[in-house]
Amino acid sequence: MAEKVLSFVLDQLSTFLREEGRLLGGLRQEVQFIRDELGHMRAFLREAEAKEEDAQPRLQEWIKQVREAAYDTEDILDEFVARFARHRETGFYGSVWRIFSSIKNLRARYRVASEIQSIKSRIKSISEAHQRYQSEYGIFAQASNSISAVNNTTWRYSRDDALLVEEAKLVGIDQPKNHLISQLLEGDDYQLKVVSVVGMGGLGKTTLVKKVHEDLEVRRHFPVRAWVTVSETCDFQYLLKDLIRQLHEEGKKPVPQSIESMTTTELKKFVKDFLQQAERYAIVFDDVWDVEFWNTIKFALPESSHGNRVMLTTRKADVASASCTESLGYIYRMKPLFFEDSWTLFCNKIFKGGSCPGHLMDVAKVILGKCEGLPLAILAISGLLALKDVNRTEEWGMVRHSLGGELEGAGKLDRVKKILSLSYSDLPRHLKTCLLYTSIFPEDYKIQCYRLINLWIAERLVEGREGMSIEDVAWGYLSELVNRSLIQVTDVFYEGLPNNCRIHDLLREVIVLKSREQNMVTVTTGQPMTWPSEKVRRLAVHSSSSNNTQHHQQRRSCCFDHLRSFVTVGSMSPLLSKTLLSEISRSSKLLKVLDLRGQETQEEIPNEIFKMFHLKHLDLWGTRVERVPKSIGKLQHLEYLDLADTRVRELPMEMLKLQKLRVLRVFQQVDSFDDDYGYHGFKAPSNMGGLIALEVLDSIDASGGSTIVKEIGKLTQLRELGITNLRREDGKELCSSLANLTSLRELSIASIGKGDDHEIIDLNHPSLSSSSFLQSLRMLILRGRLEKMPQWVAHLHGLVRIDLNWSRLRGEEDPLESLQHLPNLVSINFCGSYQGEGLCFKTGGFLMLKRLHLKRMEGLRGMRVEEGALPRLQKLFLEQLPLLEELPLGIQHLSNLQRLSLYEMSSQLREKLLENQKEESEDYTRIAHIPEILIGYYTDDGEWREHQLWEEKKKKTYNLS
């Protein structure tokens, strides 16, 4: 973290000296000295931070001093810029201002000079310590070795323990074990098959694979076997020699002494020659961390003609994919234990197979819930509880409330911390800081991915890359953390774009500990007992149920002078929100991130905010703000402004001064109870095209006519665009503007009106014959009537999702014709989009589609799915289709369908499925392969009911018997 801060400050210093150096006068040499000294320390600091956790207190304190000096240098620079470099008037008025400011700011300039001299003195002292520590600790030569030794010790102990677990003590392993055995034994005997088991640390991957490897049937099928533990920092030559020893010992042959002097290439050839002459083999590579390892070892593994098998375990999805790409591969994603199995394991460890006493039941379930099915955590925590007196509930309560402290110490849970920390330690520096930043969110919080990546960007945690937008880089960071099993995606917006995510509770405890150690984020509930008293730079306030503000004076002990970001999570009480924001607005002049998301009590933007010259990120989503004042133009460094789900419907002309603005979201749902009717946009200034840095514009009201539509074409950097209230006569002008937006990925267009009263969207024009028109588009939403489908839609080969709402296409204008051959289309949502009586999905159509939602098509009487259509469909939603009285013909062809939802359908279809539940009925034969079938409807009393079909069928069968 310190190295990250230092790198940013060095970049800022260089830019400052280049662009604002003339304002420094005699201070330039001092600032130059500070930059040079910090630059000398950076390389040393990078290595020192790598071993910070295991370093002596003196080195840890030195790292902290560097971090604070870098932060304070940044403060001085920002204050200087805010005070002296913000006015650039020329001519007579510029001369007047310079005379006035030179008198007015003489004292301020003297104070800045004094602070720069103080920083220079601190840097000198830190630099002297740097020279001592470099020779004393030998960082450059020893850092990596030290870390390797620590990590190797940790993983080796954990691997050995996993290999010694007796099968009788395992819970929930039978089904995955049998499944993996079948994967090993079945399949082509003439090709090498790789089975990869992937999942986060502590899930029991090693234990499972060991039981598969030692199974008697597997042993009989594969006479030549070996188990190789790879680890995070493996010695490849040692690994190959170990493999050779195992192979010879398995075949009861002497190990040749010549392998000791062989090179890596010779060792690989030796292994390959041996395996080619041997019988069928099965080799396990346990704990693989790197794709490069597989790319190297695979050349030592001959395919031969014996049906050889390789298994590997890994925490990283890309390793699993790489190992299975070139072979007949299978990836098994390890899942946490179900609650029943977790409970059995928990009770077996504590009560020796007995039951949990009633007085401990509630606290035991809460503690077990923290483990979230992670076997390592269940065993470690149950081992801790086994030492407690079962008659004293308060002892269990103390464990429940102090799990974070237990992880921090060197007690029973230290092993859990080390195993989970291995994945963190393996991260590159930039991903470490991004992961630590997630500590701003509370336990079990549903993290919105879009919010997270934009906070990363605003906090300068994302490094720019040539040829990529900063947002793409940030999404790449998130994907990598998901790939490494450190962040769990809970749902997706559309294919490839995660919508919400979360962190495993115990992993979050580890992250919070490390974040606290590095002073990454200060978290509080805003209540007196949790309010920080030290200097803070990043402050996250979690919602609190208490409205107690009587200790207001105690909160004043916190210093907001150095605060750079303020983020709220959850809705605060009105008085706390008002008091807190008032304090921060008054004293935090250097604030760069202000996130008041979801604070419903916030009805206006405080005037103090417009004095925050450096503010880059302002999130007011979900507040009750109604108006944006003209003062918004003062925030000339603003890059992100979110006013979605507020009452703002118009923006002032002063918005055009925000030349760095990258993201602008301003919209409100038309009907708060039904999102099918879309959103209100905002009325924009007439020269909106002047905001040329915009990448996201959602949603602009186009009812003003062709002038504003034409302005859209000037925003050539747009990647996401939402338009509301488009007039029919402006369709041609809009298409001309869209032709300029070659980077556009998401497009939403709504015409004037609501529901059936929408005006026609006219997007069919000869000028759109260009093959490059909207070729970067991934998502298209059209909300409004269509006379016919736009011709260019059929050529959007990159399109992943399409929504057609209230299109009211006539029967002869079947929308499926235009869409069926789009090669990347995975999601379709139709709402009131078609007036025809029937839909047919033809053979060979929609080959990639996974999700289909049909809603509010009152005239639809029948659906047919031909064999060979929709081969990958996983979810089918049929909703408010009153005339559809039969299940889709050919639904039995949808072999990959995982969920069928029938909501507010005809009473005939509902009654047929719920009442006539005979095994031999034709309907049940056609849908027997679908695991989840939901039927939802409103009763005559207005009560919503939902049934899981197979559960209802089981109940009826039981009652009959």
Side-chain angles (χ1 to χ4, degrees):
M1 180 60 195
E3 192 273 335
K4 183 84 175 177
V5 174
L6 192 60
S7 293
F8 175 79
V9 172
L10 282 169
D11 291 341
Q12 196 175 13
L13 278 166
S14 297
T15 302
F16 183 82
L17 286 168
R18 183 174 64 252
E19 297 180 0
E20 311 289 356
R22 60 183 177 79
L23 295 173
L24 285 168
L27 297 174
R28 183 182 179 93
Q29 287 185 336
E30 278 76 5
V31 174
Q32 182 81 46
F33 173 85
I34 292 171
R35 187 193 69 171
D36 293 344
E37 287 301 306
L38 290 176
H40 293 323
M41 291 180 209
R42 179 163 55 176
F44 173 79
L45 184 62
R46 183 174 298 175
E47 299 293 341
E49 274 200 305
K51 62 182 295 184
E52 182 176 10
E53 291 183 26
D54 307 294
Q56 293 183 16
R58 282 195 303 156
L59 184 56
Q60 291 178 333
E61 179 61 27
W62 180 84
I63 293 172
K64 181 180 178 181
Q65 288 175 7
V66 175
R67 181 167 56 230
E68 290 306 311
Y71 273 136
D72 290 345
T73 301
E74 181 188 10
D75 283 350
I76 294 170
L77 286 179
D78 283 347
E79 187 175 344
F80 187 93
V81 170
R83 188 177 293 274
F84 300 113
R86 61 195 301 175
H87 300 284
R88 298 184 181 277
E89 288 86 346
T90 58
F92 173 75
Y93 290 105
S95 300
V96 171
W97 178 86
R98 281 193 294 274
I99 294 170
F100 173 73
S101 63
S102 64
I103 298 170
K104 180 181 177 182
N105 292 324
L106 190 60
R107 186 172 299 173
R109 184 177 285 276
Y110 176 79
R111 185 169 63 83
V112 169
S114 176
E115 289 177 349
I116 287 177
Q117 291 290 351
S118 175
I119 284 285
K120 179 180 177 181
S121 177
R122 283 170 61 188
I123 295 292
K124 277 185 177 180
S125 176
I126 293 171
S127 182
E128 290 169 3
H130 158 223
Q131 302 298 329
R132 291 199 308 273
Y133 293 152
Q134 186 168 343
S135 58
E136 184 174 343
Y137 291 104
I139 293 284
F140 292 111
Q142 299 173 16
S144 58
N145 292 336
S146 172
I147 293 299
S148 299
V150 173
N151 288 344
N152 274 325
T153 301
T154 305
W155 70 255
R156 190 172 294 283
Y157 286 152
S158 65
R159 307 253 81 72
D160 292 346
D161 290 348
L163 301 182
L164 294 173
V165 174
E166 296 178 19
E167 191 162 353
K169 294 182 179 179
L170 300 174
V171 173
I173 199 172
D174 290 341
Q175 184 176 355
K177 174 188 170 186
N178 293 334
H179 179 68
L180 289 178
I181 289 174
S182 67
Q183 287 294 328
L184 287 181
L185 301 184
E186 296 173 3
D188 189 353
D189 275 350
Y190 298 97
Q191 186 176 356
L192 175 68
K193 183 175 184 178
V194 179
V195 176
S196 291
V197 179
V198 62
M200 71 177 291
L203 274 177
K205 301 182 294 294
T206 298
T207 304
L208 171 62
V209 171
K210 185 64 176 178
K211 299 313 168 188
V212 171
H213 190 63
E214 294 296 332
D215 181 80
L216 288 177
E217 191 173 359
V218 173
R219 293 173 69 96
R220 282 196 299 269
H221 202 79
F222 300 101
V224 178
R225 299 176 314 112
W227 179 285
V228 180
T229 300
V230 181
S231 87
E232 187 180 6
T233 53
C234 67
D235 181 327
F236 197 70
Q237 276 202 348
Y238 173 84
L239 184 147
L240 287 171
K241 292 174 185 176
D242 180 42
L243 176 57
I244 292 169
R245 292 188 191 98
Q246 288 190 52
L247 293 173
H248 280 76
E249 290 168 3
E250 189 81 6
K252 296 182 172 52
K253 297 178 181 179
V255 180
Q257 292 297 316
S258 58
I259 64 172
E260 299 300 330
S261 59
M262 287 185 183
T263 64
T264 300
T265 303
E266 291 170 338
L267 287 168
K268 283 195 292 185
K269 187 176 185 305
F270 188 96
V271 171
K272 187 170 186 176
D273 291 342
F274 182 92
L275 291 174
Q276 279 179 330
Q277 298 173 22
E279 297 180 71
R280 186 185 290 116
Y281 67 81
I283 298 175
V284 175
F285 295 108
D286 181 39
D287 199 30
V288 180
W289 287 78
D290 193 354
V291 171
E292 210 42 55
F293 168 80
W294 174 254
N295 289 336
T296 304
I297 196 66
K298 67 183 181 182
F299 294 109
L301 305 173
E303 293 198 5
S304 70
S305 58
H306 298 307
N308 300 315
R309 301 290 184 259
V310 168
M311 294 187 74
L312 60 82
T313 70
T314 181
R315 302 184 186 196
K316 300 167 76 172
D318 61 341
V319 172
S321 298
S323 64
C324 295
T325 299
E326 299 174 9
S327 65
L328 186 66
Y330 175 76
I331 298 175
Y332 179 76
R333 289 176 171 81
M334 194 89 174
K335 296 178 181 178
L337 295 177
F338 290 114
F339 180 81
E340 292 79 5
D341 289 331
S342 297
W343 184 254
T344 300
L345 184 62
F346 186 75
C347 291
N348 284 349
K349 181 76 173 180
I350 302 174
F351 309 113
K352 311 304 179 188
S355 59
C356 177
H359 65 281
L360 293 176
M361 190 69 73
D362 290 342
V363 67
K365 287 183 177 179
V366 172
I367 292 173
L368 189 61
K370 295 277 288 184
C371 299
E372 297 187 46
L374 200 66
L376 172 71
I378 295 170
L379 290 170
I381 291 176
S382 56
L384 176 65
L385 292 170
L387 302 176
K388 305 297 180 184
D389 188 341
V390 295
N391 296 314
R392 299 184 61 184
T393 310
E394 65 273 16
E395 289 194 8
W396 282 51
M398 288 176 64
V399 172
R400 168 189 171 183
H401 294 296
S402 63
L403 280 177
E406 292 286 349
L407 284 169
E408 193 170 4
K412 291 280 184 180
L413 301 188
D414 186 53
R415 179 170 170 240
V416 177
K417 177 186 175 184
K418 286 182 177 178
I419 296 299
L420 295 178
S421 295
L422 275 176
S423 293
Y424 169 81
S425 300
D426 182 58
L427 291 172
R429 294 184 309 281
H430 63 280
L431 291 184
K432 283 182 178 177
T433 53
C434 288
L435 185 63
L436 292 186
Y437 190 79
T438 61
S439 62
I440 69 172
F441 300 106
E443 183 180 302
D444 294 325
Y445 188 79
K446 184 169 71 172
I447 304 170
Q448 293 162 307
C449 298
Y450 187 83
R451 181 188 189 187
L452 177 61
I453 67 129
N454 276 290
L455 282 170
W456 282 347
I457 292 170
E459 298 279 12
R460 307 170 314 227
L461 305 182
V462 181
E463 301 168 358
R465 293 181 188 171
E466 187 71 29
M468 292 181 67
S469 72
I470 195 73
E471 192 175 64
D472 279 345
V473 176
W475 281 115
Y477 284 11
L478 181 63
S479 297
E480 182 63 18
L481 290 170
V482 171
N483 171 53
R484 291 169 177 261
S485 304
L486 290 168
I487 287 181
Q488 304 166 359
V489 174
T490 55
D491 61 88
V492 295
F493 182 53
Y494 60 82
E495 190 76 3
L497 187 66
N499 191 25
N500 293 300
C501 63
R502 66 182 302 276
I503 310 283
H504 188 284
D505 279 355
L506 289 179
L507 178 59
R508 180 186 172 274
E509 294 285 359
V510 172
I511 291 169
V512 168
L513 290 175
K514 293 183 180 296
S515 176
R516 192 181 303 145
E517 289 169 3
Q518 300 193 24
N519 195 25
M520 177 76 178
V521 176
T522 301
V523 178
T524 179
T525 61
Q527 296 306 306
M529 296 303 292
T530 63
W531 195 251
S533 58
E534 74 243 23
K535 180 170 68 175
V536 294
R537 291 186 173 272
R538 292 186 177 94
L539 180 63
V541 179
H542 295 172
S543 61
S544 173
S545 58
S546 170
N547 291 328
N548 182 3
T549 55
Q550 62 180 341
H551 300 282
H552 172 66
Q553 192 62 35
Q554 284 182 257
R555 273 200 296 278
R556 283 190 169 278
S557 62
C558 182
C559 174
F560 288 140
D561 293 344
H562 300 270
L563 193 66
R564 291 313 183 94
S565 65
F566 177 65
V567 178
T568 59
V569 184
S571 186
M572 294 186 291
S573 66
L575 188 54
L576 175 61
S577 176
K578 183 178 180 180
T579 305
L580 187 55
L581 186 58
S582 175
E583 291 182 6
I584 288 173
S585 299
R586 185 178 63 254
S587 59
S588 304
K589 304 303 182 187
L590 302 180
L591 203 70
K592 294 190 176 182
V593 176
L594 180 58
D595 185 332
L596 301 177
R597 195 177 187 87
Q599 301 308 313
E600 296 180 357
T601 59
Q602 194 66 43
E603 296 182 350
E604 61 181 18
I605 307 175
N607 287 328
E608 289 84 359
I609 287 179
F610 303 113
K611 298 176 184 177
M612 297 175 180
F613 178 70
H614 292 288
L615 195 66
K616 294 175 60 178
H617 182 104
L618 180 57
D619 192 338
L620 297 169
W621 180 95
T623 62
R624 296 184 181 180
V625 169
E626 296 183 357
R627 186 181 68 89
V628 176
K630 296 179 179 180
S631 304
I632 190 74
K634 295 180 180 180
L635 302 179
Q636 295 181 25
H637 290 280
L638 199 65
E639 297 179 8
Y640 181 99
L641 177 60
D642 195 333
L643 291 161
D645 200 22
T646 65
R647 300 175 182 181
V648 175
R649 300 289 293 276
E650 188 171 358
L651 294 180
M653 184 67 70
E654 284 70 19
M655 284 291 302
L656 299 177
K657 295 180 180 180
L658 308 183
Q659 288 297 299
K660 294 184 179 181
L661 196 63
R662 183 179 57 84
V663 175
L664 177 59
R665 292 184 179 277
V666 191
F667 56 79
Q668 184 182 18
Q669 200 164 306
V670 170
D671 186 332
S672 58
F673 298 102
D674 193 340
D675 60 4
D676 288 339
Y677 294 110
Y679 302 87
H680 293 298
F682 69 94
K683 292 185 177 179
S686 57
N687 295 327
M688 192 68 185
L691 295 177
I692 58 175
L694 273 182
E695 295 179 12
V696 175
L697 176 58
D698 189 16
S699 294
I700 187 168
D701 187 323
S703 61
S706 60
T707 300
I708 197 68
V709 172
K710 188 179 294 184
E711 289 292 302
I712 291 172
K714 298 177 182 178
L715 304 174
T716 57
Q717 302 300 312
L718 280 180
R719 295 149 46 84
E720 183 178 340
L721 171 63
I723 301 171
T724 65
N725 285 341
L726 179 72
R727 304 183 308 174
R728 179 174 185 173
E729 59 265 34
D730 293 325
K732 183 175 182 180
E733 188 67 62
L734 176 61
C735 290
S736 297
S737 290
L738 293 177
N740 297 328
L741 309 184
T742 56
S743 299
L744 199 63
R745 296 187 182 181
E746 298 179 15
L747 174 62
S748 174
I749 302 173
S751 64
I752 290 177
K754 178 181 177 181
D756 290 335
D757 296 326
H758 269 294
E759 189 170 301
I760 287 176
I761 301 176
D762 180 14
L763 299 176
N764 271 306
H765 296 282
S767 60
L768 303 181
S769 58
S770 170
S771 59
S772 63
F773 184 72
L774 294 181
Q775 282 305 297
S776 60
L777 207 63
R778 289 173 57 81
M779 184 178 79
L780 174 64
I781 299 175
L782 299 178
R783 186 175 281 108
R785 289 167 56 204
L786 293 172
E787 288 183 324
K788 58 182 179 179
M789 282 287 286
Q791 296 176 357
W792 44 267
V793 172
H795 303 291
L796 300 179
H797 296 298
L799 199 64
V800 174
R801 169 180 166 179
I802 186 169
D803 293 10
L804 297 180
N805 294 339
W806 313 111
S807 305
R808 297 300 180 196
L809 287 163
R810 297 185 300 274
E812 63 271 19
E813 288 293 334
D814 185 349
L816 301 183
E817 292 292 332
S818 301
L819 305 176
Q820 62 182 331
H821 296 305
L822 290 178
N824 292 297
L825 191 62
V826 298
S827 177
I828 288 179
N829 297 288
F830 286 171
C831 176
S833 58
Y834 184 57
Q835 294 179 312
E837 295 187 358
L839 284 175
C840 178
F841 295 87
K842 298 178 181 179
T843 301
F846 300 101
L847 297 181
M848 300 299 292
L849 201 71
K850 295 182 179 179
R851 186 183 188 278
L852 174 63
H853 193 158
L854 306 178
K855 182 179 182 180
R856 285 179 165 171
M857 294 194 284
E858 290 82 0
L860 192 65
R861 293 179 177 274
M863 285 179 60
R864 186 164 51 119
V865 180
E866 295 181 354
E867 190 169 2
L870 302 167
R872 301 193 182 192
L873 194 69
Q874 297 174 358
K875 296 180 181 179
L876 174 60
F877 299 88
L878 303 178
E879 185 173 358
Q880 297 181 42
L881 308 176
L883 298 184
L884 190 66
E885 298 179 359
E886 299 285 343
L887 288 170
L889 295 175
I891 194 171
Q892 67 273 15
H893 301 317
L894 304 178
S895 57
N896 286 310
L897 196 61
Q898 299 297 310
R899 177 176 176 177
L900 171 63
S901 296
L902 304 167
Y903 291 150
E904 298 183 74
M905 301 295 286
S906 68
S907 57
Q908 294 91 332
L909 179 57
R910 181 177 73 239
E911 290 169 6
K912 181 186 295 187
L913 293 174
L914 288 178
E915 300 300 328
N916 183 25
Q917 301 195 43
K918 296 180 181 179
E919 292 289 344
E920 64 274 13
S921 72
E922 182 182 349
D923 281 333
Y924 280 100
T925 301
R926 291 193 293 141
I927 60 176
H929 65 290
I930 306 174
E932 185 178 9
I933 302 178
L934 297 176
I935 300 176
Y937 60 96
Y938 286 101
T939 65
D940 293 338
D941 298 330
E943 181 185 353
W944 176 257
R945 290 189 180 176
E946 191 168 290
H947 299 280
Q948 228 290 12
L949 185 59
W950 299 133
E951 289 182 5
E952 292 297 312
K953 191 170 78 165
K954 289 175 185 175
K955 290 177 184 176
K956 288 190 174 289
T957 303
Y958 176 77
N959 291 336
L960 288 172
S961 63

